[in-house]
Structure formats: C-alpha cells, structure tokens
Amino acid sequence: MMELLAPAATGEAVVAAVQSGADAVYIPVGPGWTTEEDLQKALRYCRVRDCRVYVSFPSLYPEPALTEQLLLAERAVRWGADAFLVQALGLA
C-alpha cells in the first residue's frame, strides 16, 4: 500500500498537508524547529483526521540537548506520535 507522506514544519503546513490528502506528515523538532506546544496541537489535529504523524529529529545533539530530545520523544509518544525519524543513534 502506498502512503502520501508530506513534510510539515509548521502548524499551517500540517493543516495544508492533511487537507491536501496526505496519509502521514513528518514534523521536524529540535532547536529552531517546531515548539512542544505546536507539536502537541499538530498531533491532536492529525489524530482526529486519521493522519499518521512521524516526528523527525533531524540533527545531532550535544549531550544536554539529547536528554531534552529524549524527554520530548517520550511526551510525543503519549500525545500519539506514530513513529520517529532520527539521525542520532544515541537518540534511537
């Protein structure tokens, strides 16, 4: 089965992707990217519209930031994230 996966770095991009028929979106998080509140809103928006959400951690992080990203990943699971895309093996 094919899946239409759309990048969505902002709340507006999430809405546009879902309304355009995306089966799933991936949302980059981290320093300078989506805030925690934006991520939670996007997950809620996608959940009620049967759209999967992949949370992307696109960068390598120094040790203190890695811990913060792990905590964010844990919260994203509780909020309904379907999967994670990670570059840093330490985060995986």
Side-chain angles (χ1 to χ4, degrees), residues 9-90:
T10 66
E12 293 84 12
V14 169
V15 171
V18 173
Q19 289 182 353
S20 296
D23 299 305
V25 296
Y26 68 91
I27 302 173
V29 296
W33 295 86
T34 305
T35 66
E36 230 177 274
E37 183 180 339
D38 292 339
L39 178 60
Q40 189 173 16
K41 286 179 185 178
L43 283 160
R44 195 172 329 132
Y45 180 85
C46 289
R47 285 299 119 232
V48 299
R49 289 161 180 83
D50 199 31
C51 180
R52 288 176 295 287
V53 177
Y54 307 140
V55 179
S56 172
F57 293 91
S59 301
L60 298 173
Y61 302 103
E63 188 62 37
L66 184 61
T67 301
E68 292 173 22
Q69 296 307 306
L70 287 169
L71 292 172
L72 177 57
E74 181 182 332
R75 287 189 291 276
V77 167
R78 284 190 307 235
W79 297 333
D82 293 290
F84 295 99
L85 307 170
V86 298
Q87 178 180 352
L89 290 179

